[in-house]
Amino acid sequence: MAEKLNILAINGPNLNMLGTREPDIYGADTLADMEARCRAICDTDGVVLDWIQSNGEAEIVTAIHQAIGNADWIVINAAGLTHTSVAVRDALALFPGRKIEVHLSNIHKRESFRHHSMISAVVDGVVLGFGAMSYVMAIRGILEIAKESG
Ligand code: CA2
């Protein structure tokens, strides 16, 4: 593993459209805004942040496979795949590092089909309902843990 802490942030289907519709649910920030906020925090702490977005399940599964041995942590907003994808869940279970599930909205306050996450049972932590701040909280939490463990 590289000497610097390495975080892979994975963003699932339709998150590339953030900031264009439904600001009442997801806020006005674009995904690029969220990346910039997280990158600023990581840069200050000398942490490597890889940030990807894909609308394809297979691409996300492959990104998780490629993170094995290359990333210390995965932060994932699997978007709609959260509720449906056994493949993303299985890939996350294969990743030996730590994983945090992130959602902009509080999925438990929304339609019942969003209440169940396929991936919550294979991640170490979940941050949801804080809008763009969910990502920031996940990243800050990881950095705090990394500082504590030296
Ligand atoms: O709250 C979240 O972060 C979600 O993961 C977002 C997903 C949704 O399917 C999950 O249930 C919760 C949806 C992402 C779609 O993003 C949009 C972007 C622009 C306009 C509308 C939706």
Side-chain angles (χ1 to χ4, degrees):
M1 197 79 69
E3 219 173 89
K4 282 185 173 181
L5 192 76
N6 199 311
I7 303 171
L8 171 64
I10 301 174
N11 297 282
N14 299 307
L15 287 168
N16 55 309
M17 301 301 286
L18 282 174
T20 63
R21 285 183 51 225
E22 301 189 49
D24 45 320
I25 300 175
Y26 299 118
D29 287 344
T30 65
L31 196 60
D33 295 332
M34 293 178 208
E35 176 181 358
R37 281 199 207 188
C38 293
R39 197 167 291 290
I41 298 165
C42 287
D43 285 352
T44 305
D45 279 44
V47 169
V48 177
L49 176 67
D50 290 312
W51 181 281
I52 63 166
Q53 188 277 329
S54 174
N55 293 320
E57 184 176 28
E59 243 185 278
I60 289 172
V61 168
T62 301
I64 296 168
H65 293 170
Q66 287 170 349
I68 298 172
N70 291 312
D72 302 291
W73 290 79
I74 288 177
V75 172
I76 182 163
N77 184 350
L81 294 172
T82 303
H83 315 294
T84 61
S85 180
V86 175
V88 172
R89 176 199 176 105
D90 288 346
L92 285 170
L94 286 168
F95 177 75
R98 293 213 252 179
K99 312 144 243 213
I100 306 295
E101 176 182 357
V102 165
H103 297 287
L104 298 159
S105 62
N106 177 359
I107 56 176
H108 302 293
K109 203 179 166 186
R110 300 185 61 195
E111 305 97 321
S112 59
F113 68 85
R114 295 186 202 274
H115 294 178
H116 182 252
S117 164
M118 298 294 289
I119 66 177
S120 290
V122 298
V123 298
D124 300 283
V126 182
V127 184
L128 58 84
F130 290 89
M133 203 50 71
S134 293
Y135 285 86
V136 170
M137 290 165 77
I139 297 288
R140 283 202 198 283
I142 291 170
L143 300 193
E144 284 300 316
I145 289 169
K147 276 178 201 159
E148 269 178 18
S149 56

